[in-house]
Amino acid sequence: MNPLDRYDYAILAALQADGTLSIAHLGEKIGLSSTPCWKRVRRLEEDGYIESRVAIVNRRKVGLPVTVFVSVRTSQHDDKWLASFAAAVTALPEVQEFHRMSGDVDYLLKVVTTDIEGYDRFYKKLIKVSQLTGVASAFSMEQIKVTTALPLELVAHGAPA
């Protein structure tokens, strides 16, 4: 059961669009006074619905225009190996996302880097961290859609006020 009501969803949607909103502006936007709005935001943070508030940096402007999706295969599947591999991969700063997959690929990484040579340096670090049976790379040619906003409208319908 989801304990969120329409005000909570409205707060989450507004903060996804602009995490810099003051409590006063946020309250105005969703129809609550400052104190109840502040209490809800605090509860959403404490309960883990809001994990963090961050600035989204333009990767091209800072010199990281290349995105690579890296498929990793391994013959190792025990907990000890996974813990070691996960620690090593999460320590690589180029890795933006790291997923354990179903199907033919065991792990999928989303990597950002400077250029082809930057990716080659990353690749050499990756293959040193653990014994892998296959690594395949797919370079993104064009980013057509990117968002950090979750589609809250899929779950917010009918949320009690």
Side-chain angles (χ1 to χ4, degrees):
M1 184 156 106
N2 193 339
L4 302 181
D5 65 20
R6 69 181 176 96
Y7 290 112
D8 295 327
Y9 281 111
I11 288 169
L12 294 172
L15 289 176
Q16 283 189 133
D18 183 358
T20 67
L21 286 173
S22 69
I23 291 296
H25 284 110
L26 179 60
E28 284 176 29
K29 194 172 191 88
I30 66 163
L32 286 176
S33 63
S34 293
T35 300
C37 183
W38 176 78
K39 286 180 179 179
R40 284 174 178 267
V41 169
R42 193 178 80 201
R43 180 181 50 81
L44 290 167
E45 289 173 335
E46 289 171 354
D47 291 349
Y49 290 97
I50 299 172
E51 292 182 358
S52 65
R53 298 190 212 183
V54 299
I56 298 173
V57 177
N58 183 310
R59 63 183 177 76
R60 290 184 182 281
K61 288 190 180 239
V62 298
L64 296 165
V66 176
T67 300
V68 187
F69 294 93
V70 182
S71 301
V72 176
R73 291 192 187 105
T74 182
S75 59
Q76 305 288 320
H77 296 285
D78 62 85
D79 290 341
K80 183 178 177 184
W81 181 89
L82 174 55
S84 173
F85 180 64
V89 171
T90 57
L92 298 171
E94 299 92 340
V95 177
Q96 297 294 290
E97 295 183 27
F98 178 25
H99 301 265
R100 189 168 57 87
M101 306 296 290
S102 65
D104 293 335
V105 172
D106 294 311
Y107 300 94
L108 182 66
L109 314 177
K110 178 182 173 187
V111 172
V112 297
T113 190
T114 53
D115 50 24
I116 298 294
E117 291 82 13
Y119 177 70
D120 188 49
R121 287 189 297 275
F122 167 80
Y123 174 83
K124 289 174 182 174
K125 289 189 287 186
L126 177 64
I127 61 173
K128 285 181 184 176
V129 302
S130 191
Q131 190 172 19
L132 305 173
T133 58
V135 176
S137 306
F139 286 78
S140 173
M141 301 301 292
E142 178 183 11
Q143 183 174 288
I144 297 170
K145 178 183 178 180
V146 64
T147 183
T148 59
L150 296 174
L152 297 175
E153 64 276 5
L154 298 177
V155 293
H157 296 301

